[in-house]
Amino acid sequence: MSLPLEGLSAIVTGAGRGLGRAEALELARLGAAVVVNDYGQPGRDGSGAASAAPAEEVAAEIRAAGGGAVAHLGDIADFETARALVDLAVTEFGKLDVLVNNAGILRDRMVFSMSEEEWDSVIRVHLKGHFNTTHFAAVHWRTRAKAGESGVYGRIVNTSSEAFLAGSAGQPNYAAAKGGIVGLTTSTALALARYGVTANAICPRARTRMTEDVFAGFAEPGDEGGLDPLSPEHVAPLVGYLASPAAAGVNGQLLVVHGGMVAIVDRPRVAAQFDTAKEAFTYEELDGLLTPHYAARPTGETFAASEVLGLKKGG
């Protein structure tokens, strides 16, 4: 019996540690050959001897388990680095089939305290990084389809966040970037569907080196052992599924995943519509319609869906 991703090749960005590492290992377990990307460079261990970069260690782990993997060290927020990353997958494995965009950073601050650099760096790594790799992967798939290749296979799994859904007050840069990623995902899903490509986004909740401060107050496994509810291993299987042929009918979707739970987020829907009784609205007419409408709504309610933060296995 063949594995679900057998014969496919994948890129996972930010895969040297944490969530990306778990995703790369899962894709390999399901049969994919993986390009393991991470910005981390080789370093020195405690004795001063040279140590491998995290991406190289993950690639070696995959190969040791009998899979195919190669490491790529570089910043995917750089346009030409992203080009080289996709080229590496094609050179090493003949084609690219799956792109998992995971790489990211945090620079948390309230909007009135945030510096320009803290804003720019997060937007650059998350949003531009997602665009860069998506662009070159899309060029690869479209070129193959235009050349007459039948059965082009493409899967994109992007990483958004509950910070975008719930409106994280201390993360305006991160929330904005993650919201932009959802817009990029739905646009890409529509643009590439004709070529046999799907694009979906996940909102994972996982305890990693990047989020250790964010989730410091969340419960960890007790003395009896068991899997941490915020372990990246809860997220990786969904990525494997979305990368598989079984998910051919899943496109342009947003899913929240953590702790043994997957929730499908519905698209926004129009809550109310008001039409002018005249040729065009006036201030007075809008005041008469909108002010009582919002006065009847719950105090403090915004477009943010903070209820997603309460999702857990079992309801």
Side-chain angles (χ1 to χ4, degrees), residues 232-273:
E233 279 68 31
H234 285 298
V235 177
L238 177 61
V239 173
Y241 167 74
L242 292 173
S244 75
V250 185
N251 193 31
Q253 301 299 308
L254 179 65
L255 303 97
V256 176
V257 55
H258 57 80
M261 179 220 70
V262 173
I264 299 171
V265 180
D266 203 1
R267 62 185 179 87
R269 299 184 182 277
V270 176
Q273 177 180 330

Side-chain angles (χ1 to χ4, degrees), residues 252-304:
Q253 301 299 308
L254 179 65
L255 303 97
V256 176
V257 55
H258 57 80
M261 179 220 70
V262 173
I264 299 171
V265 180
D266 203 1
R267 62 185 179 87
R269 299 184 182 277
V270 176
Q273 177 180 330
F274 299 96
D275 298 324
T276 181
K278 307 169 185 178
E279 183 178 3
F281 275 116
T282 62
Y283 166 85
E284 290 76 14
E285 188 181 14
L286 288 171
D287 180 26
L289 292 171
L290 298 183
T291 300
H293 172 77
Y294 281 106
R297 300 281 290 270
T299 302
E301 180 186 76
T302 72
F303 186 75

Side-chain angles (χ1 to χ4, degrees), residues 46-112:
S47 67
S51 62
E56 293 170 335
E57 293 177 346
V58 175
E61 186 176 352
I62 291 172
R63 293 193 296 267
V70 61
H72 175 274
L73 309 183
D75 175 13
I76 47 81
D78 177 79
F79 197 65
E80 292 305 316
T81 298
R83 183 200 303 271
L85 174 59
V86 172
D87 287 347
L88 177 61
V90 176
T91 300
E92 288 288 325
F93 304 122
K95 58 183 173 45
L96 173 65
D97 302 295
V98 178
L99 170 64
V100 179
N101 284 310
N102 166 75
I105 62 171
L106 290 178
R107 298 290 186 270
D108 293 352
R109 196 87 64 183
M110 300 296 283
V111 69
F112 44 77

